[in-house]
């Protein structure tokens, strides 16, 4: 917008947005500063409140914008844009191109003349098809009302050409006099004059690109409205406008009776396929409805649907690969068969067990093989202290649709079976190849690779990849992929002990699934939410969430079924029912063994059951279970698995040997990503030291409490607080002298001062002196307060106090 912006001008555009979408727009305004013109993303950070450094600001702000757009229309108004930094302008360009059909309006105000430091970026924006340059002086007031239907009827009687021009502009979504005149059948000069008059009457949608005013076209008969849109599409096509702009007018046509219409829809689908798959689906769906027998269109539609709605994609793929009806095109049939196997795995039509993954690999072929690197080398980053041996160069994979899928399936199969120490290195290397070799064919491959890294204790990379996948899927309107990535991220947060973040992420994933009417996708999120609630001590809500799930429909789902059993067991344990909890954990372990899953950190059933066996007085069975877990950990050596094995051994060991094992467990787990297990190791160690009256107990218990409070582990925090109170009590008792303690014990048992003096061969005055010091050191007002410090010596009915006894 050129010229003086003024609040009325901005309000006029906001009013247009609100009227077009039928909801009040959310407006964010910011003015640019000359001194910040050279600071990358300076305006973007102020406009949207994004704080991450470097390239991460783009992911954070894009996610924020998607969230705002989900709630309603959005206007981003930037004043004095000649001082806007180039990074913000390029982000706006990317944002406008990737939020196709979203209720987003970006207003940039410039004074007359050329912009300043970011002239090149402004030039690129001005050439985009979504950009319109307007003069603020010519804007109609913000309170200009849209005419009612009766006013339109009256206008049609007095000045039919004015209404015809306005309808043509609405159908075209443009106020270009040449285009509008061609549709209205009027000369360009006359059309320009009529457009100006129509704008003054409030007939035009506003100064920004319009999507049509319903009241203008809604009064026309359906046949006339369809004819006008078809003619508008033809005019735009002849004017070489972008295919997607033309295709938008063809979506509502009842017939595609001209060859150019199908050609435009195919061109628009091809242009949108990579960055805007949801738009491609709308174009391909219209083409498929026009010709259901076109196998190529149906295959493209199924491919675009995989990450949006895999169930719908599977229906199309089953038709193409089936016999009959199938298709006679061998390449299309082969592609459909490969993609059908993946979609069946995604929607649990195929079990996710290692055996099923093996069968899938056999059907898909060998996939990419290890060998000399090809293409440009790129080193994969490593995080944390967990060893992550990967090839120094990552081969760039080709664009074959199944190549990354095979690699992801192979890495996941290896991670689940954990056949030996070297298997972890292989699985991690293959997962990294999927993640660092460009966009995979589907989001499932990236999510599976991130899950492998999470199992290998590279949680930071896994969380980063899952967050990016969820944001990318939200940007591309891939609802299934976004829900799946968000649910997987919540589970990784939970497994790393970040209960508060996991609960929030799982709740958001569940809400997203419900919004998209896809309850099937929320099962993993719901299970994760229940486990996070258990860690936060909210057993009632956790049980309520689990009861809403139909367990019978999860039996073939490896991740959901076994994590649900673990969640149910943890609820039972929290309710004080160890036998029921143990039965559920044994069932979980048996199910994993039957499925061929031997990864020690896939489910920690063996750690939890070791503790329950000790609680039930079965130390022998607990020791055997701990050894079983340690054997699994040796086959998948990470800091987390090793530390958990040591923790289980320490829990099941006798008091003499447990401290050493728990000390080593706490040391190793401190190097892992699992904050909850680290806190538990510190807690168990603190309790063991407390049992031995070791002075190091409080420090360990405080460490456990600090970790638990930081990550929202309410249950662990409460246990640590109780143990700390006990430790502090013992420390206080240690302050009593050898002469004071027996006096205090007898007083707590209800003995009178005379009885205490006789029993200890002291004078009554000495007893009174000792008791005065005891009260002061323990901070109690009198004899009754001693009972909590010496509960074993509390008064019993048979031990009545001596009548007439004194203090």
């Amino acid at each position: 917008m050129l010229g003086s912006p003024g609040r009325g001008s901005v309000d006029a555009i906001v009013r247009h947005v609100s009227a077009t979408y039928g909801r009040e727009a959310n407006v964010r305004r910011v003015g640019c500063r000359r001194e910040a013109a050279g600071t990358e993303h300076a305006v973007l950070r102020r406009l949207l409140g994004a704080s991450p450094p470097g390239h991460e600001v783009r992911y954070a702000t894009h996610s924020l914008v998607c969230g705002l757009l989900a709630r309603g229309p959005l206007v981003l108004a930037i004043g004095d844009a000649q001082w806007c930094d180039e990074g913000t302008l390029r982000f706006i360009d990317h944002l406008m191109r990737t939020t196709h059909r979203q209720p987003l309006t970006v207003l940039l105000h410039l004074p007359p003349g050329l912009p300043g430091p970011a002239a090149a970026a402004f030039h690129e924006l001005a050439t985009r098809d979504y950009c319109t340059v307007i003069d603020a002086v010519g804007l109609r007031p913000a309170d200009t009302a849209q005419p009612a239907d009766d006013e339109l009827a009256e206008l049609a009687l007095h000045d039919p050409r004015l209404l015809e021009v306005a309808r043509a502009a609405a159908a075209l979504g443009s106020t270009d006099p040449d285009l509008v005149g061609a549709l209205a059948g009027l000369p360009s000069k006359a059309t320009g004059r009529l457009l100006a008059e129509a704008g003054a009457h409030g007939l035009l949608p506003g100064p920004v690109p319009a999507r049509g005013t319903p009241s203008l076209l809604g009064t026309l008969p359906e046949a006339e409205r369809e004819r006008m849109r078809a003619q508008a599409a033809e005019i735009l096509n002849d004017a070489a406008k972008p295919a997607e702009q033309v295709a938008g007018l063809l979506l509502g046509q009842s017939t595609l009776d001209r060859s150019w219409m199908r050609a435009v829809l195919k061109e628009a689908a091809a242009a949108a396929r990579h960055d805007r798959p949801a738009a491609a689906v709308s174009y391909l769906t219209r083409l498929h409805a026009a010709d259901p027998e076109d196998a190529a269109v149906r295959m493209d539609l199924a491919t675009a649907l995989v990450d949006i709605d895999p169930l719908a994609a599977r229906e199309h793929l089953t038709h193409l690969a089936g016999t009959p009806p199938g298709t006679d095109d061998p390449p299309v049939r082969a592609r459909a068969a490969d993609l059908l196997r993946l979609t069946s795995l995604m929607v649990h039509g195929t079990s996710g067990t290692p055996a099923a993954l093996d069968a899938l690999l056999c059907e898909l072929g060998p996939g990419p093989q290890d060998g000399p690197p090809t293409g440009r080398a790129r080193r994969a980053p490593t995080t944390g202290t967990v060893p992550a041996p990967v090839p120094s160069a990552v081969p760039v994979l080709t664009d074959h649709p199944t190549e990354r899928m095979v690699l992801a399936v192979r890495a996941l199969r290896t991670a689940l079976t954990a056949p030996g120490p070297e298997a972890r290195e292989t699985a991690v290397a293959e997962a990294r190849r999927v993640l660092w070799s460009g966009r995979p064919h589907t989001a499932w491959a990236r999510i599976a690779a991130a899950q492998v890294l999470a199992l290998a204790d590279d949680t930071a990379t896994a969380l980063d990849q899952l967050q990016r996948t969820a944001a990318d899927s939200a940007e591309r309107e891939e609802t299934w992929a976004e829900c799946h990535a968000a649910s997987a991220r919540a589970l990784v947060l939970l497994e790393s002990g970040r209960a508060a973040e996991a609960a929030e992420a799982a709740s958001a994933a569940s809400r997203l699934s419900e919004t998209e009417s896809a309850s099937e996708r929320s099962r993993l999120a719901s299970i994760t939410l229940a486990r996070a609630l258990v860690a936060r001590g909210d057993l009632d809500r956790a049980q309520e969430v689990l009861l809403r799930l139909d367990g019978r429909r999860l039996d073939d789902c490896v991740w959901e079924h076994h994590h649900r059993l673990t969640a149910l067991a943890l609820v039972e344990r929290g309710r004080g029912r160890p036998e029921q909890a143990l039965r559920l954990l044994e069932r979980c372990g048996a199910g994993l063994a039957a499925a061929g899953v031997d990864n020690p950190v896939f489910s920690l059933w063996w750690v939890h059951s070791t503790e329950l066996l000790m609680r039930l007085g079965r130390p022998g069975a607990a020791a055997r279970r701990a050894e079983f877990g340690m054997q699994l950990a040796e086959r998948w050596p990470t800091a987390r698995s090793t530390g958990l094995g040591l923790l289980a051994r320490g829990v099941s060991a006798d008091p003499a040997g447990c401290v050493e094992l728990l000390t080593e467990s706490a040391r190793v787990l401190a190097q892992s990503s699992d904050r909850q297990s680290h806190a538990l190791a510190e807690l168990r160690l603190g309790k063991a030291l407390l049992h031995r009256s070791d002075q190091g107990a409080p420090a360990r218990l405080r460490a456990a409490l600090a970790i638990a409070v930081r990550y929202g582990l309410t249950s662990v925090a409460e246990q640590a607080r109780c143990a700390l109170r006990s430790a502090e009590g013992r420390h206080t008792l240690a302050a009593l002298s050898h002469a004071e303690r027996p006096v205090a014990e007898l007083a707590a048992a209800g003995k009178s001062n005379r009885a205490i003096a006789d029993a200890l061969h002291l004078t009554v005055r000495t007893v009174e002196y000792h008791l005065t010091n005891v009260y002061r050191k323990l901070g109690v007002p009198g004899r009754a307060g001693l009972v909590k410090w010496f509960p074993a010596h509390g008064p019993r009915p048979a031990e009545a106090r001596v009548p007439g006894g004194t203090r």
Side-chain angles (χ1 to χ4, degrees):
M1 183 172 66
L2 302 176
S4 175
R7 186 175 183 88
S9 302
V10 175
D11 289 342
I13 294 180
V14 172
R15 187 181 183 283
H16 156 69
V17 174
S18 301
T20 301
Y21 295 103
R23 288 176 289 172
E24 189 66 27
N26 176 12
V27 184
R28 295 200 171 202
R29 295 181 174 90
V30 69
C32 300
R33 302 167 181 168
R34 183 170 185 171
E35 61 272 16
T39 305
E40 189 80 353
H41 297 124
V43 176
L44 186 62
R45 296 175 194 274
R46 292 177 55 216
L47 185 65
L48 295 172
S51 58
H55 69 279
E56 295 179 4
V57 71
R58 294 189 60 181
Y59 296 104
T61 51
H62 198 283
S63 299
L64 176 59
V65 170
C66 290
L68 294 173
L69 288 173
R71 293 192 288 271
L74 175 65
V75 176
L76 305 179
I78 301 177
D80 293 324
Q82 73 274 17
W83 304 120
C84 186
D85 62 275
E86 188 170 353
T88 296
L89 294 175
R90 296 199 181 281
F91 175 81
I92 289 173
D93 183 25
H94 170 76
L95 183 67
M96 296 300 291
R97 288 185 287 108
T98 55
T99 52
H100 183 65
R101 293 183 174 275
Q102 294 294 309
L104 172 64
T105 301
V106 178
L107 174 64
L108 300 172
H109 164 253
L110 289 166
L114 292 177
F122 269 109
H123 177 73
E124 290 183 19
L125 284 177
T127 60
R128 301 296 188 192
D129 62 290
Y130 61 75
C131 182
T132 298
V133 179
I134 60 175
D135 190 345
V137 178
L139 291 179
R140 68 175 184 269
D143 57 353
T144 302
Q146 295 286 347
D149 290 344
D150 55 347
E151 294 175 314
L152 290 176
E154 183 179 352
L155 187 62
L157 292 174
H158 291 85
D159 198 345
R161 292 196 310 166
L162 185 63
L163 183 58
E164 191 172 352
V165 165
R167 281 176 172 155
L172 288 163
S174 172
T175 55
D176 186 324
D178 293 330
L179 299 177
V180 174
L183 182 57
L186 296 170
S188 177
K189 187 173 182 180
T191 302
R193 179 180 57 80
L194 289 169
L195 283 171
E197 188 176 349
H201 282 80
L203 290 172
L204 299 183
V208 295
R211 294 170 176 80
T213 304
S215 60
L216 290 173
L217 300 179
T219 56
L220 293 175
E222 179 62 31
E224 177 63 19
R225 188 161 59 246
E226 186 169 328
R227 182 202 64 77
M228 179 174 282
R229 284 177 175 154
Q231 189 176 353
E234 187 171 8
I235 290 172
L236 292 174
N237 188 49
D238 292 342
K241 293 297 181 180
E244 291 187 65
Q245 185 179 353
V246 183
L249 293 172
L250 298 176
L251 292 176
Q253 297 298 105
S254 59
T255 59
L256 301 177
D257 52 0
R258 300 183 187 181
S259 59
W260 67 266
M261 293 181 173
R262 297 188 183 184
V264 166
L265 285 170
K266 288 182 179 180
E267 182 183 348
R273 185 174 303 161
H274 295 291
D275 295 326
R276 299 179 297 280
V281 166
S282 64
Y283 306 137
L284 292 167
T285 300
R286 184 66 190 90
L287 283 168
H288 174 65
D291 185 6
E293 301 305 318
D294 190 330
V297 168
R298 192 164 195 162
M299 184 65 216
D300 289 341
L301 175 58
T303 304
L305 279 169
V306 167
D307 282 336
I308 297 174
D309 189 348
L311 280 172
R314 189 171 67 158
E315 292 181 9
H316 292 294
L317 295 168
T318 302
H319 178 90
L320 291 169
T323 3
T327 175
D328 296 331
D329 188 337
V332 172
R333 177 184 287 276
R335 286 178 57 206
D338 286 344
L339 205 52
L340 178 59
R341 297 182 182 100
L342 174 64
T343 53
S344 295
L345 185 66
M346 292 166 63
V347 300
H348 304 301
T350 300
S351 172
T353 63
L357 296 177
D358 266 331
L360 179 60
L361 287 173
C362 292
E363 293 171 348
L364 292 175
Q369 301 297 318
D370 294 328
T374 59
R376 198 171 190 177
R378 179 179 178 184
R379 184 175 294 275
T382 58
T383 57
T385 58
V386 181
V390 294
S392 59
V394 179
V396 177
L397 303 179
T398 69
D399 289 330
H400 191 275
T402 62
E403 200 166 65
R404 289 179 183 81
M405 186 202 319
V406 169
L407 206 57
V409 170
R410 203 163 65 192
L412 186 60
R413 185 271 318 267
T414 303
L416 291 178
T417 55
E422 68 284 351
R424 191 194 69 84
E425 301 176 10
T426 302
V428 168
E430 290 181 335
R432 290 183 184 280
R433 287 180 63 188
V434 173
L435 294 172
W436 305 125
S437 297
R439 184 194 297 275
H441 184 55
T442 70
W444 183 91
R446 183 179 293 275
I447 295 169
Q451 289 173 322
V452 170
L453 293 183
L455 291 173
D457 212 9
D458 189 358
T459 301
T461 303
L463 288 173
D464 177 65
Q465 291 297 326
L466 290 170
Q467 184 172 6
R468 293 188 183 194
T469 302
D472 185 49
S473 299
E475 174 186 320
R476 292 157 54 86
E477 299 181 66
E478 294 172 333
T479 53
W480 181 91
E482 182 184 2
C483 292
H484 187 38
S487 300
R489 179 175 177 272
L491 180 61
V492 174
L493 284 170
L494 176 69
E495 295 295 339
S496 63
R498 294 152 69 171
E501 293 178 73
E504 182 179 351
S507 296
S510 296
R511 289 193 300 270
L512 179 63
S513 294
E514 293 167 2
T515 302
E516 298 296 338
S517 300
S519 58
E520 290 294 317
R521 294 195 291 268
S522 67
R523 296 183 300 188
L524 183 60
S526 297
I527 294 166
T528 303
L529 175 59
R531 289 189 56 191
L533 289 172
V534 171
R536 293 181 63 76
D538 194 343
L539 298 178
D540 292 336
R541 280 189 61 202
Q543 190 167 25
E544 179 184 344
V545 170
L546 292 171
L547 288 175
R548 291 201 296 263
L549 294 171
D550 186 355
R552 292 171 298 179
R553 302 181 65 185
L554 298 176
D555 290 347
D556 293 330
C557 309
V558 172
W559 294 80
E560 289 88 343
H561 175 59
H562 295 96
H563 284 296
R564 174 178 171 272
L565 289 175
T566 303
L568 288 170
L570 294 179
V571 170
E572 293 294 328
R573 185 186 68 178
R575 298 286 190 196
R577 297 190 283 263
E579 295 87 354
Q580 293 89 327
L582 183 60
R583 281 197 293 269
L584 287 166
L585 291 172
E586 298 284 2
R587 182 179 163 194
C588 178
L592 288 172
V597 177
D598 291 325
N599 192 296
V601 295
F602 180 86
S603 170
L604 302 186
W605 70 274
W606 54 277
V607 178
H608 300 307
S609 61
T610 299
E611 181 184 359
L612 287 171
L613 287 168
M614 288 297 293
R615 185 184 300 185
L616 293 170
R618 299 166 57 185
R624 290 190 295 273
R625 182 61 47 78
E627 287 304 315
F628 169 77
M630 200 65 193
Q631 292 172 9
L632 293 180
E634 290 171 356
R635 297 170 57 179
W636 187 258
T638 65
R640 186 180 183 216
S641 62
T642 303
L644 287 169
L646 291 167
L647 176 60
R649 276 182 170 178
V651 169
S652 61
D654 57 76
C658 69
V659 170
E660 183 178 352
L661 289 167
L662 292 173
T663 301
E664 182 64 10
S665 171
R667 186 191 68 80
V668 175
L669 286 170
Q671 305 172 42
S672 77
S673 62
D674 191 346
R675 299 300 91 206
Q676 183 171 13
S677 296
H678 180 207
L680 283 171
E682 296 284 2
L683 176 63
R684 299 287 179 264
L685 177 57
K687 287 184 174 181
L689 293 173
L690 185 61
H691 181 74
R692 293 168 50 170
S693 299
D694 193 297
Q695 293 184 354
R700 293 293 186 172
L701 293 172
R702 281 192 289 269
L705 179 60
I707 297 169
V709 170
R710 179 178 179 182
Y711 294 102
L713 303 167
T714 308
S715 178
V716 178
E718 186 57 35
Q719 294 181 61
R721 287 191 183 96
C722 291
L724 266 175
R725 285 195 291 268
S726 178
E728 290 169 356
R730 293 195 182 190
H731 177 73
T732 304
L733 290 177
L736 300 181
S737 67
H738 292 295
E740 294 166 348
R741 181 161 187 131
V743 172
E745 290 178 351
L746 291 173
K751 300 294 185 181
S752 67
N753 289 358
R754 173 57 65 184
I756 295 173
D758 294 342
L760 298 178
H761 306 291
L762 300 172
T763 66
V764 173
R765 186 176 182 81
T766 301
V767 170
E768 291 175 349
Y769 173 77
H770 287 326
L771 282 177
T772 300
N773 289 334
V774 168
Y775 298 152
R776 176 178 54 80
K777 291 179 180 180
L778 298 184
V780 296
R783 189 182 300 265
L786 296 176
V787 176
K788 75 172 183 177
W789 293 97
F790 304 95
H793 302 284
R796 302 179 180 87
E799 296 176 343
R801 188 172 295 187
V802 177
T806 61
R807 178 181 170 184

